[in-house]
Every structure is written in C-alpha cells, then in structure tokens.
C-alpha cells in the first residue's frame, strides 16, 4: 500500500478534512442540547468536598447535573465510570447533561483534590 | 505533595513523550534546523493552554458547559489523524534508508512536512495543557501555608515529565536509525490508539455516541489513575474500565493503522488489547 514514491495527501486536503470533522462534531454535540430539558440535580463543591456526596437519581432517565464550585480554586469533576472530565472554575456553575443510567452506583471525584472530593451517583 | 506530583506528571507525560520523539525524529533524519517547528508548536500549545484556562474561567453558560469539551474532542481527533499520518510518513522514510545519507536528507528536504511535527507538538501540549494550567493555578489560588508542598509537587511533576522527554531524546539519538523508527512508529500508533479511544469516550460522555456499561473492570489489577497505570494510559491507551466503543476503537485502530503503516513491507503487527489481562 504505502510504497515509496507514491504521493501522500496534500496538507491542504488534510486541513479541510480536519475542519469538516470539527464542524460535524460540533453539530452532533449541539443537537441533543436543543432537545427537551430533563430533571436537574444540584451538586455543590465547597471546601474541596462535594455536597451531597451521594446523589440519588432515577435509573433509566437522563438528567442534568448542575455543579456549582463555591471554592476559590478550580475543580475537575471526574468520573471514570461515566467517562466524564469537566473543569469547573472557581465560583462557576456547570450544567452537565448525563445519560440515562442503569441501576447501580457510579463514583466520581474532584481530580484536583481527590483525597477529599469524592462522591457517588446512585441510580435506582 | 506526592498526589499533586502524580497529577501533573501524568498530565505532562504524553506531551513530553511526543516532544521527545519528534525532536529525535528530526535529529535522526538530519533536520535539526527544523526543530524550530516543534519548538514553535510546543510554545503555541502552551500559550493556547493558558488562553484556554483563562477562557474557561471567564465564560459561563452553554459556552462553559459545552465549549471546552468540543475543543478537547476536536484536538484529540486532530492528534489521531496527525500521528497516523506522521507514522506513515516516517515509515516511508525509513524504507528509503539504505545507509545513503545524502539521499535521505534530500528526501527529507523535498517532502516538506515539517509543519506536521509542529502540529503534533501543539496538540500534544495543548491536549492536557489547559487542565495542568488550571490545576497549578488552582493550587496557587488556594495557597495557604500548608499547600506549598502541593505546589512544589505539581511543578516537580511537570519538570520530571520534561526530563523524561529529554531522556527519550538522548536515548533515541544513540540507537540504530531503523530500530528508532520502528520503535517510535509502534509507540506513536499506540498513543494514537489511546487518543482515539479517549475521543470515543468523550463522544459517549457528550451523548453523541450511546453510552454503555464498561466491558470489564481491571481496576483491582491496575488502576489507570495510579503511577504505573497512569503511564500505561498515556503510552498504550490502557483503560481499567473501557466501554465497548473505547476497546473496539482501540483494537480496530491498531489493526487498520498497522496495515496502513506497516503494510506489505513488514509483517503486520496484530493488535491485542493489553487490557485483557485478568
């Protein structure tokens, strides 16, 4: 396949392709945001801890996690279980759209303070 | 201190690895003069990281909810494309090597793909850069008497990552050219496979791809957050709890890119997920 002497795609073509990909991704990501609003659940970060540390949600229904960081430094909400990494700057609120979860427990941490910032989402 | 050290080391390791490889690559093909592309790319990546950090803290609403994720996802997929392309190019290059230095140099000059290495440096630094910037910034913002150890640890983590990049460069300069190209090509494809799987995971988190249960959980064996697991995550794309998309994307990428890059010339390297160990 890749024999020497064969021409590889020009830089221009690749840039165009990358841009097309970016635009597609943008469209795909924004589309669900326009759909109806599911239930909202509040989560607060204060003194490098989450409150509440246990969030109870209905299994099988999407929801929005509204995370407010009341600390003076940023925090990263991270859940390996849910594949989420989200930076929440100091004093800001982030709305995270969550997929519908199967019944079970999903742990999350604040990556910048993982010793203290721990919590879990219980879907039931 | 140990905790913040591990965090920044983990975040900066991938960038250091990529920078180490592309600098050595240029050195080995006798194109040291083109280092400026890598340096510029890396510096721009750093600037973009700071800009992104500032951007994240100054915006709010939907821009904050979705913006950083869209940028991060785009950068990840761009990096996968660039790394694949570079590996392919590198492979073609290596195949032209017959100890003929002049010809090698000529080909390197005529192919003029220097900006790719610059872009690789950029994406490598920018990918985890904003997070690292915010992390260190956060440490400083919350600085109290007791937290200076944490800040020291964070800075040390970045420095050690940089030292690792330098070690790769130093080691790579002395090994045989062919071996160097083969090893780094495999390494770059593994990094790209890991990135692709991260990108697919992000698309799942964004709701673009359907979410699903993890295929398996090998956290008990090797946590992908810890020291060694963290390195394997950056290096091989190791995931302790991969989704079907992440695992399939990782394996499929290695097969397809492996055939594309190594096709016909050498034996095809069969991809086997490292995560299957249980």
């Amino acid at each position: 396949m890749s024999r020497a002497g064969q021409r590889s795609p020009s830089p221009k073509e690749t840039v165009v392709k990358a841009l097309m990909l970016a635009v597609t991704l943008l469209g795909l990501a924004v589309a669900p945001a326009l759909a109806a609003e599911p239930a909202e659940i509040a989560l607060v970060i204060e003194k490098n801890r989450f409150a509440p540390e246990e969030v109870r949600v209905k299994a099988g229904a999407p929801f929005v996690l509204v995370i407010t960081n009341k600390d003076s430094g940023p925090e990263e909400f991270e859940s390996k279980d849910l594949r989420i990494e989200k930076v929440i700057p100091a004093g800001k609120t982030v709305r995270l759209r969550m997929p519908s979860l199967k019944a079970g427990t999903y742990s999350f941490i604040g990556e910048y303070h993982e010793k203290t910032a721990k919590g879990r989402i219980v879907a039931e | 201190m140990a905790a913040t050290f591990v965090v920044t080391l983990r975040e900066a390791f991938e960038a250091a690895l990529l920078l180490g490889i592309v600098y050595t690559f240029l050195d080995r093909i006798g194109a040291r003069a083109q280092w400026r592309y890598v340096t510029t790319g890396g510096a721009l990546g750093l600037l973009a990281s700071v800009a992104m950090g500032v951007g994240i803290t100054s915006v709010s609403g939907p821009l904050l909810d979705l913006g950083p994720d869209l940028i991060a996802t785009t950068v990840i997929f761009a990096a996968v494309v660039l790394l694949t392309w570079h590996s392919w190019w590198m492979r073609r290059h290596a195949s032209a090597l017959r100890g003929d230095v002049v010809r090698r140099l000529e080909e390197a000059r005529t192919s003029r793909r220097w900006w790719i290495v610059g872009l690789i440096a950029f994406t490598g630094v920018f990918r985890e850069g904003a997070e690292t910037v915010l992390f260190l910034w956060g440490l400083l913002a919350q600085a109290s008497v007791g937290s200076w150890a944490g800040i020291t640890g964070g800075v040390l983590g970045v420095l050690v990552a940089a030292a690792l990049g330098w070690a790769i460069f130093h080691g790579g300069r002395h090994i045989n050219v062919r071996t160097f190209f083969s090893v780094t090509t495999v390494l770059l494809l593994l990094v790209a496979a890991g990135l692709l799987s991260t990108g697919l995971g992000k698309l799942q988190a964004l709701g673009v791809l359907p979410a699903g249960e993890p295929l398996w959980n090998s956290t008990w064996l090797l946590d992908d957050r810890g020291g060694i697991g963290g390195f394997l995550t950056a290096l091989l794309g190791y995931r302790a709890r991969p989704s079907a998309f992440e695992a399939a994307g990782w394996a499929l990428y290695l097969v397809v890119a492996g055939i594309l890059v190594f096709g016909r010339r050498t034996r095809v390297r069969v991809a086997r997920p490292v995560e299957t160990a249980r």
Side-chain angles (χ1 to χ4, degrees), chain B residues 39-52:
Chain B
T39 311
T40 310
L44 286 177
L46 194 62
L47 271 179
S49 302
V50 174
M52 175 103 159

Side-chain angles (χ1 to χ4, degrees), chain B residues 74 85 122 152 155 233 257:
Chain B
T74 311
W85 189 6
F122 176 84
T152 313
V155 173
T233 303

Side-chain angles (χ1 to χ4, degrees), chain A:
Chain A
M1 281 185 204
S2 56
R3 306 297 300 185
Q6 210 173 37
R7 216 185 69 89
S8 47
S10 77
K12 230 184 199 166
E13 285 168 43
T14 314
V15 171
V16 170
K17 273 182 201 158
L19 280 176
M20 276 162 59
L21 178 71
V23 171
T24 313
L25 284 175
L26 190 83
L28 286 172
V30 169
L34 301 172
E37 281 304 305
E40 292 191 359
I41 290 157
L43 188 62
V44 173
I45 298 165
E46 202 166 11
K47 298 198 176 91
N48 302 330
R49 283 179 188 281
F50 288 105
E53 288 188 331
E54 186 174 292
V55 176
R56 294 192 164 265
V57 298
K58 230 177 96 188
F63 59 99
V64 176
L65 208 52
V66 183
I67 313 173
T68 304
N69 183 357
K70 292 193 172 169
D71 282 338
S72 56
E75 185 55 275
E76 186 175 39
F77 175 88
E78 178 174 326
S79 171
K80 286 275 175 199
D81 290 341
L82 300 165
R83 271 164 270 287
I84 289 170
E85 277 182 291
K86 187 81 200 170
V87 172
I88 303 128
K92 297 271 178 170
T93 299
V94 163
R95 295 164 54 83
L96 263 183
R97 307 180 63 87
M98 309 288 283
S100 57
L101 303 175
K102 280 189 187 163
T105 304
Y106 304 82
S107 64
F108 58 81
I109 57 160
E111 206 201 351
Y112 295 168
H113 307 94
E114 51 184 303
K115 283 258 165 62
T116 51
K118 287 180 204 165
R120 62 208 164 272
I121 297 171
V122 180
E124 57 198 355

Side-chain angles (χ1 to χ4, degrees), chain B residues 45-206:
Chain B
L46 194 62
L47 271 179
S49 302
V50 174
M52 175 103 159
V54 174
I56 288 178
T57 34
S58 53
V59 298
S60 54
L63 222 64
L64 177 60
D65 298 344
L66 277 177
D69 287 329
L70 292 181
I71 293 174
T73 312
T74 311
V75 168
I76 287 174
F77 283 106
V80 172
V81 172
L82 287 170
L83 287 177
T84 314
W85 189 6
H86 180 76
S87 304
W88 183 60
W89 177 42
M90 206 152 103
R91 200 63 205 164
R92 274 184 59 205
H93 221 94
S95 71
L97 297 181
R98 293 205 183 87
D100 181 353
V101 180
V102 180
R103 222 188 96 187
R104 178 165 34 126
L105 281 179
E106 224 152 72
E107 208 200 316
R109 286 217 184 87
T110 50
S111 36
R112 286 192 195 160
R113 291 285 159 67
W114 313 121
W115 62 275
I116 301 178
V117 292
L119 273 178
I120 288 176
F122 176 84
T123 51
V125 171
F126 182 49
R127 205 178 91 65
E128 302 281 10
E131 270 178 33
T132 315
V133 165
L134 282 169
F135 178 68
L136 289 172
W137 184 357
L139 285 177
L140 282 170
Q142 293 185 320
S144 59
V145 185
S147 64
W148 284 102
I151 294 166
T152 313
V155 173
L156 271 180
V158 176
L159 290 179
V160 170
L164 283 172
W166 187 84
I168 290 163
F169 170 69
H170 205 70
R173 287 181 67 191
H174 298 294
I175 56 172
N176 170 288
V177 184
R178 273 186 177 281
T179 317
F180 170 78
F181 281 134
S182 302
V183 170
T184 50
T185 304
V186 172
L187 208 57
L188 289 182
L189 288 183
L190 282 167
V191 169
L195 280 173
L196 180 72
S197 121
T198 307
L200 292 172
K202 280 213 174 283
L203 290 182
Q204 287 187 291
L206 280 168

